[in-house]
Amino acid sequence: MTGKDIGDGLAAEWSHVRKELETELGAAIFKSWLSPLEVESVKSEGVTLSVPTRFMRDWIQSKYAGRIRDLWAAKNPSLRNVDFVVRGLASKPDGGEVNAERVAAEAGIAVESVTHPAGNRAWTLEEVVAPLDPRFTFDNFVVGKPNELAHAAARRVVEADEVPFNPLFLYGGVGLGKTHLMHAIAWHIRERAPKRKVVYLSAEKFMYLFIRALRFKNTMAFKDLFRSVDVLMIDDVQFMADKEATQEEFFHTFNALVDQKRQIIISADKSPSDLDRLEERLRSRLGWGLVADIHATTYELRLGILHSKAEQMGIAVPAKVMEFLAHRITSNIRELEGARTRGIAHATLVGRDITLETTQEVLRDLLRANERRVTIEEIQKQVAQHFNVRVADMHSDRRSRVVARPRQVAMYLAKQLTQRSLPEIGRKFGGRDHTTVMHAVRKIEELRGSDPNFSEDVDLLRRMLES
Ligand code: ADP
Ligand code: MG
């Protein structure tokens, strides 16, 4: 036989094997796992097949390799071996196995801190998505020169019948409205096309879910879940810097969704080409669609935003106070925070017609509108999910450690992350006394001091709630 004969024969055999696999395993599994296989090289003793990621290779090797070999050997008895490699990684020195330990190590966290979801139960979309801020809508987004491209692109994504560009990549400094625009897209689609599955989450949460999936051998559900969405939004993708295994998994998810013509929206603090701690192929892929830059705010935009916020709250703020604030805040909207104290003092001097109290009131609301507020309900939900207990256990009288400890963690986080008083927190936990909350806070502080893993666990939860 000549080399060409081997090639042609093998191509036909491979196509036969693929058909058999699809019939045996069903279209969905075949599509997720086996359709990405390609013949990489052919030698006299066997063939080498390639897949896009290490993680897929390991999975195929453990689940399907035997069946592929048998099917192929049945067709061609002279075939001795079928191998699997990762495409484009042949020369990489670190082609080790992807496992939870490795991904967690890249993220700088202990794998033990990623706790167990309910058995092998698949997560639902509701559990995966981050809550949307009700104030982050298109109506509340003030458009100006610095953000008009990003805004127009976001509108285009929600109005177009087909995916207009993939991905939409939004980038800019802190507090310039990236998250606001993403939430606005999600709200808009939820309202107009409720059947479309929209998933918004931070890059950090994506990584966390990925580690959980690896750790609890739930990767199939993880993959299926992300491949089932219509619109995927990943916020702050710069978080994936240097986390190679997470990047790789994300790259693969990304490609699968683009292939299926699903919309992807990404945000980051830098342009794709400047994200130099991301792998080259991912960086280049991120720049394939529309890259929209949000520039630092201008005086006019800041003034516009202040007017809009005052109007939303139905409060008349003297023009001078507005102008003063718009001057004070130089780079981003969150800086209002820093301008508060001086703002109050100055506003009372220039705005004779408004009292100190009203100015404070107005400013406090303006500022509060710029913070991401976490509710006790969100905390309870996230903590319950994290420790695999029911949300109802947050309110129940059950005292067994399994539920009491998570409840204490939730109380502790409620104290840390919200403005609620101890009695208020107690009421939200099944009408408990404020001393119970105080005890919980102390207990958790004590445990954090003595158990670094536990402490990390709590920090992780806290970051997830804040993101
Ligand atoms: P980023 O994600 O870019 O760091 P955010 O989207 O969290 O920034 O915005 C920070 C705050 O500023 C939010 O309260 C947001 O509503 C507000 N904000 C930013 N840009 C605008 C805008 N153009 N119009 C109205 N509010 C804005
Ligand atoms: Mg943001």
Side-chain angles (χ1 to χ4, degrees):
M1 274 200 288
T2 67
K4 182 161 188 310
D5 291 335
I6 294 170
D8 288 348
L10 270 161
E13 287 161 27
W14 174 225
S15 143
H16 167 82
V17 171
R18 285 167 61 94
K19 285 213 186 71
E20 291 285 312
L21 287 168
E22 185 163 9
T23 314
E24 282 180 18
L25 302 167
I29 290 181
F30 180 82
K31 195 161 184 333
S32 302
W33 296 101
L34 299 158
S35 68
L37 280 168
E38 284 173 10
V39 176
E40 173 93 3
S41 63
V42 180
K43 296 200 187 76
S44 56
E45 67 278 12
V47 291
T48 301
L49 299 175
S50 70
V51 286
T53 70
R54 277 188 283 257
F55 172 64
M56 265 193 123
R57 179 203 55 199
D58 298 340
W59 184 261
I60 292 173
Q61 211 140 34
S62 70
K63 299 270 291 191
Y64 306 112
R67 191 61 196 142
I68 294 173
R69 285 187 193 113
D70 289 351
L71 284 169
W72 209 319
K75 202 67 189 155
N76 175 359
S78 70
L79 187 90
R80 296 257 176 282
N81 202 9
V82 182
D83 275 332
F84 301 88
V85 296
V86 182
R87 276 200 275 289
L89 269 195
S91 58
K92 273 208 170 183
D94 64 342
E97 192 199 354
V98 171
N99 54 36
E101 282 72 19
R102 186 176 146 210
V103 185
E106 282 178 4
I109 60 175
V111 71
E112 290 73 28
S113 70
V114 178
T115 49
H116 204 314
N120 274 339
R121 175 175 71 75
W123 293 300
T124 60
L125 278 178
E126 289 70 40
E127 287 167 318
V128 163
V129 301
L132 296 178
D133 192 310
R135 294 162 302 143
F136 290 3
T137 59
F138 278 122
D139 283 346
N140 291 344
F141 192 81
V142 180
V143 186
K145 264 261 169 293
N147 59 27
E148 66 186 359
L149 174 62
H151 174 260
R155 299 274 344 175
R156 189 74 211 288
V157 162
V158 298
E159 277 153 15
D161 291 329
E162 289 190 357
V163 173
F165 19 71
N166 229 352
L168 166 57
F169 189 99
L170 302 172
Y171 79 94
V174 175
L176 299 183
K178 302 181 293 294
T179 299
H180 188 137
L181 273 180
M182 288 174 122
H183 285 209
I185 291 173
W187 282 122
H188 191 280
I189 297 174
R190 261 195 205 176
E191 199 176 287
R192 309 289 163 91
K195 288 220 177 72
R196 292 185 80 194
K197 289 190 197 159
V198 181
V199 166
Y200 164 88
L201 76 170
S202 63
E204 182 168 17
K205 183 151 181 194
F206 180 87
M207 179 201 73
Y208 173 86
L209 293 170
F210 178 46
I211 299 175
R212 264 212 322 203
L214 288 167
R215 184 165 178 214
F216 301 108
K217 316 238 175 305
N218 225 329
T219 44
M220 194 71 156
F222 176 84
K223 285 181 179 293
D224 286 348
L225 189 74
F226 279 100
R227 278 159 187 61
S228 75
V229 309
D230 296 303
V231 181
L232 176 66
M233 293 192 242
I234 305 276
D235 207 351
D236 292 321
V237 82
Q238 73 274 4
F239 175 82
M240 289 188 193
D242 296 331
K243 300 181 178 81
E244 278 186 31
T246 303
Q247 287 177 33
E248 188 171 312
E249 184 55 30
F250 174 60
F251 180 71
H252 190 55
T253 304
F254 185 98
N255 289 338
L257 288 173
V258 170
D259 283 350
Q260 295 176 61
K261 305 213 168 21
R262 311 290 171 80
Q263 179 72 57
I264 299 176
I265 302 158
I266 308 285
S267 87
D269 62 353
K270 296 189 203 67
S271 75
S273 52
D274 287 336
L275 287 168
D276 50 16
R277 284 152 69 210
L278 294 192
E279 266 189 64
E280 168 56 32
R281 59 177 185 169
L282 177 57
R283 243 190 297 157
S284 108
R285 202 50 81 85
L286 290 174
W288 275 13
L290 181 76
V291 177
D293 175 356
I294 309 186
H295 299 272
T297 57
T298 56
Y299 172 76
E300 288 73 24
L301 179 61
R302 292 193 295 270
L303 197 58
I305 291 172
L306 288 171
H307 275 294
S308 148
K309 299 237 186 237
E311 195 177 314
Q312 273 167 47
M313 294 181 294
I315 300 168
V317 183
K320 285 212 159 112
V321 175
M322 296 282 209
E323 285 159 19
F324 167 75
L325 285 170
H327 272 300
R328 289 269 7 154
I329 322 155
T330 50
S331 67
N332 77 58
I333 295 131
R334 282 187 203 144
E335 277 188 20
L336 266 169
E337 188 77 56
R340 167 164 56 181
T341 332
R342 276 158 298 173
I344 294 166
H346 199 98
T348 46
L349 295 178
V350 292
R352 295 250 168 74
D353 47 347
I354 80 172
T355 66
L356 177 60
E357 285 84 59
T358 52
T359 310
Q360 277 175 325
E361 198 66 40
V362 168
L363 288 174
R364 207 178 320 114
D365 282 346
L366 283 171
L367 294 162
R368 214 189 279 140
N370 282 289
E371 288 165 11
R372 154 104 180 87
R373 268 174 295 161
V374 185
T375 64
I376 292 184
E377 286 75 19
E378 273 169 43
I379 294 173
Q380 291 174 329
K381 192 172 145 219
Q382 186 88 49
V383 171
Q385 193 187 327
H386 187 82
F387 290 102
N388 192 25
V389 298
R390 293 172 310 139
V391 176
D393 287 329
M394 293 287 151
H395 314 280
S396 76
D397 288 336
R398 289 179 62 199
R399 284 172 181 220
S400 80
R401 174 78 90 68
V402 198
V403 298
R405 187 71 81 230
R407 195 189 293 132
Q408 288 175 327
V409 169
M411 289 183 194
Y412 169 82
L413 289 170
K415 184 76 194 99
Q416 300 278 314
L417 301 179
T418 73
Q419 304 294 317
R420 303 265 171 250
S421 65
L422 294 175
E424 280 175 307
I425 294 173
R427 273 201 292 283
K428 296 260 186 182
F429 284 83
R432 287 180 158 74
D433 195 76
H434 76 277
T435 53
T436 309
V437 183
M438 208 152 70
H439 173 74
V441 172
R442 286 217 193 101
K443 182 76 205 168
I444 298 303
E445 271 164 3
E446 189 186 305
L447 280 173
R448 292 192 59 157
S450 62
D451 181 348
N453 277 341
F454 177 76
S455 184
E456 219 164 327
D457 207 4
V458 176
D459 280 337
L460 192 67
L461 267 166
R462 181 211 190 102
R463 286 209 302 274
M464 307 251 315
L465 283 160
E466 281 174 335
S467 68

